[in-house]
Amino acid sequence: MTYSERRLAARTFLLGIILTLFVIALDSIGALLPLEHFLYDLRARTCQFFAPPPTDDLVYIDIDDQSLDAIGEFPWPRDTLAPIVDEIHRAGAKTIAFDIIFDKPQPGSDPTLAAACRKFNQALLPVTFDLGTGAASAASDMVLNVLRQDLELSAQQVIQALRDRGSAAPDLEARVQRDFPDALRDAMYDGIVAQVPDDPLPNPDRLRPILLPRTSPVITDSYLLRQLTAQCQRVSAERVFRRFAREPAPNEPELLRARRVMPPVATIGDASTATGYVDYVVSDGVVRTMPLFINYRDGLYPQAGLALACAVLNIDPKNRSQVELADDAVTLHPNGRDSIRIPTRRVQSSPTQRGGNAFMDVPWYGDPDWAAMYRRFKKNPHVLINDVWQLAQSRRALIVNNNRADEAIKPLIEVLRPDALKAYLDHPFAPEDYPVRQKLIASLFDEMRTQEGYMETYLAKNPDGFSNDTDKTMCRAINAAAEIQSRGPQLLDMIARQEKFLRSRLENRAALIGYVATAVAASDFVPTSLYPRCPGVIVHGAIANGILTGELWRTAPPWVTWLVTILVGLLTAAAASLLSPWKAAASTLTLLAAYFSANGLLLFDRMNLIVGVAAPIVAVAAVWSGCTLARLLIEGAQRLRITRRFRAYQDPGFANFIIEHPEEEEKILKGQTRELTICFTDLAGFTSLSEQLGPAIVNVIREYLTGMVPVIHRRGGHVDKFSGDGIMFFFGAPRPNPNHAADAVATILDMQLALQAYNRRLAEQNLPPVAMRAGIATGQVIAGDIGSAERSNYTVLGDDVNLAARLESANKTTGTTNLLTQSTADALKNQFLLRPVGNLQVMGKLNAVMTYEALCPLADYTDSQKQLVTLTRQMIEAFQQSRFQDCINLATQLENDIAPDKLAALYLTLSRLHQSSPAPEPFEAKIILSEK
């Protein structure tokens, strides 16, 4: 790697580090949370390959649309729910939990449901908290403080009181109107608590003159009186609910606080054995985490899913030895099994609300369809509440049937067994005991059948057909008993089948009753990571399932994500700095895919570890795009600088080469010694043409040069300079070319062919033709930047450069079209037909150099060209061996057999000269040129 490449890579890598640190800073202030939430939800939906089967200890009792059609519009009367609770209890369920808030009293049916829950003796009845926001609490407190002093103030009077105290908020009236109802309820509640701190059942009539002294005794109904009654019920319900509070300990973490609570009414709440809150804490509208405990009035209350799991494990959430709270975990210690550590963390639930500890990540599982969430495990944990209701209805029908049986049996005993009537009335059968009734009816019928014709007299007869009242009564009783005797077994069989079904689904399990119907009016659906529209009861079930199975998600500390971000950022920066853009892009995509797969499948799915994805992905994208863009800009600036630096060069190929290979710039500017092939060309006849055309010669020569430059470029030649009609160019620099000699000779021959077309155009203008002479030399020369800052040129220096220039002129003497040196001929490797010319000593040189004329490519020569080369070689050999007469004879033969030739004439003249005036020994067979 060159210095310039190392410098570019270092700058790009440093930018990658800066961008990585910037992404970490963004992540630390929460700027990447929306993307992190999206990727969190994506993993929850797609990375479920290693999820274990769910617990068998939990069953959902669904209040669905079908159940609403069968039972009626929700909410149902509590005495409708009571037999459902009884049936769940009979089915052997270990615990029953409701996701229904029984906060509004139903005096006629509350005791019935309370009795059913008390009989169950393992009923979890939930509460709901007002978690509020910090801003709303501050606004409400202003109104609350005024109303605590006088509950009978109106909203306008509260506004005036606040203004008298100096409040000048521009939106004061709107804030008071908004907060007045809640503040009045809380102030009324506080007043009741202050007056009767220990009374479990506050009496509104006794508190009325104390809290509402200005309200006339004759008024029996008003908003304030209704609020007083409602808040007395609230105080009563909260005092029952308070028994589930856990006292906070000094070493326990700070929890999310609630402003107010909505517990079940006292009658029902008193029958419960546990409670849990069913509210949701959402971030960007999606439930992802849940606090396991909430602090309300310095009492800690568990989340419903946690409370349900504790009930299954026989754990009391209030017991610190069984439930341990710490900053990073809630640990359960059930008897007879290993402890369950629930990882928790601190979460800021909203920008305006104080956060809290003990938040767990809800461990979603199953298919992304809550109704078939266990499909992959071939389980169905859902039971329709209508199935339970139908069993309760069957049992109710059996009781009705038994009551009718009792009504039918009484007159039969009275007639057939009068002595047993008193015992029968004093010891009634159990309401559901049909077999004992069936047995008694059968025995009574058997007794009647002993009396011939007795049964036939009444059975299947119309009672109105008898005139005697006794006969009518017996007829009705016998027919009713016969009907009951046939219907009872059907009911018993139906109940047995329904009981068997429910027992198979509920025995020794926790039953969680919740609303899943799609009716808008009472919908309880929330968006979650796995289910976009999920019933709230499923959320509590997911929490309980995670605790019972131990499949709990743990969020890694932020520094883990930042460490990963640094690692992938550095790898991306290295790829963007050292590789080409396409390779860097491929490497970046591979890195992204590898990290996302490892994070989703290994960390998240296999290890239940949540490590951030947004920051690493953003870092990779930012570093790759930033470094690639920076690299392109730097290279573009370098390209522009090079273009400006070398704009003085005539050949654009040079600038293109430097732009493509900026690492070569330094070498070129310093100069390099390289083996090149240098060419000089000139036009014979140009002087006369110039004299004939005058200034118009400029256009003619422009046309000539315009046609020749592309021919030179075609084989990679670099045009050094123009000198009138002459061109200097070379091959092998700046772009390396191992075939520079062959390309140079081929280019000269191509230029000769192009000159023919040029001469035809001159002829069309009635202008004389021109001929081109070329000198070619190959050797070690210095190539580099020659010139000043204002004007510079990439050129070559050396003896072979001067030699090529002299050879171009030497063509005038030898009569050849081109002359090339022995070194050039050696480099051609027999690719061209070369005619030897002889040892020429050009002006300025002390030594002669063997030269040749290139005639054509070796594969294209003619017989005439071959004969020319043969005779010329023989002629030159005779001259070099001092056989001057043989040389004269061969020169004469060459002119006679082929054509008059200036080179033959030259050797003829030299041979005759040496014959007449012998040269000193040893003879130097060279031609000395006296002109440049």
Side-chain angles (χ1 to χ4, degrees), residues 71 79-88 90 384-400 432 491 494-496 498-499 502:
I71 303 173
D79 52 9
T80 298
L81 283 169
I84 293 175
V85 174
D86 287 336
E87 294 301 339
I88 294 173
R90 288 191 185 95
L384 301 184
I385 201 169
N386 184 47
D387 293 335
V388 187
W389 167 251
Q390 292 302 327
L391 175 55
Q393 290 298 94
S394 298
R395 198 176 303 280
R396 180 181 178 185
L398 179 64
I399 293 174
V400 171
E432 297 179 19
L491 290 171
M494 182 184 300
I495 291 171
Q498 292 171 328
E499 284 182 333
L502 283 185

Side-chain angles (χ1 to χ4, degrees), residues 400-676:
V400 171
N401 191 68
N402 288 346
N403 290 336
R404 292 182 59 207
D406 291 340
E407 293 174 0
I409 289 171
K410 179 182 175 183
L412 295 178
I413 293 179
E414 189 175 6
V415 172
L416 298 174
R417 303 174 186 176
D419 295 339
L421 180 60
K422 186 176 185 305
Y424 172 76
L425 296 175
D426 292 342
H427 300 88
F429 300 137
E432 297 179 19
D433 192 350
Y434 172 75
V436 68
R437 291 174 172 84
Q438 183 184 34
K439 183 177 180 181
L440 179 56
I441 291 172
S443 66
L444 290 172
F445 280 3
D446 289 342
E447 185 175 339
M448 284 187 287
R449 287 190 183 96
T450 61
Q451 302 178 31
E452 186 176 350
Y454 193 88
M455 285 286 292
E456 290 75 6
T457 302
Y458 299 107
L459 189 62
K461 298 294 192 299
N462 187 349
D464 294 336
F466 296 93
S467 58
N468 187 294
D469 290 340
T470 301
D471 290 334
K472 290 181 179 181
T473 301
M474 288 298 294
C475 182
R476 291 191 184 95
I478 290 173
N479 283 286
E483 180 184 353
I484 291 165
Q485 192 177 36
S486 63
R487 178 169 171 73
Q490 298 175 1
L491 290 171
L492 285 177
D493 180 65
M494 182 184 300
I495 291 171
R497 285 187 281 106
Q498 292 171 328
E499 284 182 333
K500 181 179 179 181
F501 167 75
L502 283 185
R503 183 166 291 277
S504 68
R505 305 299 299 277
L506 299 177
E507 190 171 21
N508 295 322
R509 294 179 172 90
L512 179 55
I513 301 178
Y515 194 92
V516 300
T518 57
V520 177
S523 60
D524 181 26
F525 287 78
V526 293
T528 68
S529 298
L530 190 58
Y531 312 117
R533 192 168 182 268
C534 178
V537 66
I538 302 296
V539 178
H540 312 313
I543 293 173
N545 176 79
I547 296 171
L548 293 173
T549 60
E551 280 296 308
L552 298 163
W553 294 355
R554 176 168 57 91
T555 298
W559 63 264
V560 175
T561 300
W562 298 338
L563 186 62
V564 173
T565 303
I566 291 174
L567 177 61
V568 299
L570 293 179
L571 290 175
T572 306
S577 303
L578 302 176
L579 303 177
S580 66
W582 286 111
K583 290 182 179 179
S587 301
T588 300
L589 291 175
T590 302
L591 180 62
L592 279 176
Y595 176 67
F596 197 83
S597 299
N599 188 296
L601 298 178
L602 178 61
L603 299 179
F604 184 81
D605 192 10
R606 186 73 174 180
M607 300 173 62
N608 291 337
L609 180 62
I610 301 172
V611 179
V613 179
I617 286 181
V618 171
V620 169
V623 170
W624 176 82
S625 58
C627 289
T628 301
L629 179 61
R631 185 173 175 179
L632 292 175
L633 290 176
I634 293 173
E635 290 179 341
Q638 190 176 32
R639 184 186 298 264
L640 180 61
R641 180 182 61 80
I642 291 172
T643 302
R644 290 175 178 174
R645 173 69 180 84
F646 295 105
R647 66 182 181 274
Y649 291 103
Q650 296 172 345
D651 196 316
F654 173 75
N656 292 336
F657 175 76
I658 299 300
I659 290 171
E660 295 170 7
H661 303 279
E663 70 278 2
E664 296 291 327
E665 177 186 359
E666 187 176 352
K667 299 177 184 178
I668 289 172
L669 294 177
K670 290 181 178 180
Q672 299 171 289
T673 299
R674 302 174 69 167
E675 183 182 81
L676 308 178

Side-chain angles (χ1 to χ4, degrees), residues 733-748:
R735 196 179 300 275
N737 181 358
N739 299 315
H740 52 83
D743 284 340
V745 173
T747 297
I748 293 297

Side-chain angles (χ1 to χ4, degrees), residues 65-76:
D65 293 300
Q66 178 182 338
S67 301
L68 295 181
D69 292 339
I71 303 173
E73 185 179 350
F74 198 82
W76 300 321

Side-chain angles (χ1 to χ4, degrees), residues 33 36-37 40-41 43-44 281 283 286-292 303 328-330 341-347 357-365 529 539 542-547 550-557 604 608-611:
L33 268 181
E36 189 66 70
H37 286 159
Y40 181 103
D41 298 343
R43 282 174 290 174
V281 178
S283 55
V286 177
V287 176
R288 298 184 183 89
T289 59
M290 190 71 70
L292 294 181
Q303 198 275 337
D328 61 347
V330 172
R341 187 178 186 276
I342 309 170
T344 61
R345 57 191 173 98
R346 182 175 180 83
V347 169
N357 290 290
F359 275 76
M360 74 173 292
D361 291 281
V362 180
W364 302 112
Y365 61 97
S529 298
V539 178
I543 293 173
N545 176 79
I547 296 171
E551 280 296 308
L552 298 163
W553 294 355
R554 176 168 57 91
T555 298
F604 184 81
N608 291 337
L609 180 62
I610 301 172
V611 179

Side-chain angles (χ1 to χ4, degrees), residues 764-800:
E764 293 173 358
Q765 302 175 48
N766 296 318
L767 295 175
V770 293
M772 188 185 78
R773 299 186 296 265
I776 307 169
T778 299
Q780 295 287 333
V781 297
I782 298 172
D785 183 32
I786 305 298
S788 66
E790 289 75 19
R791 184 72 179 176
S792 59
N793 189 33
Y794 180 71
T795 188
V796 290
L797 302 174
D799 288 342
D800 288 291

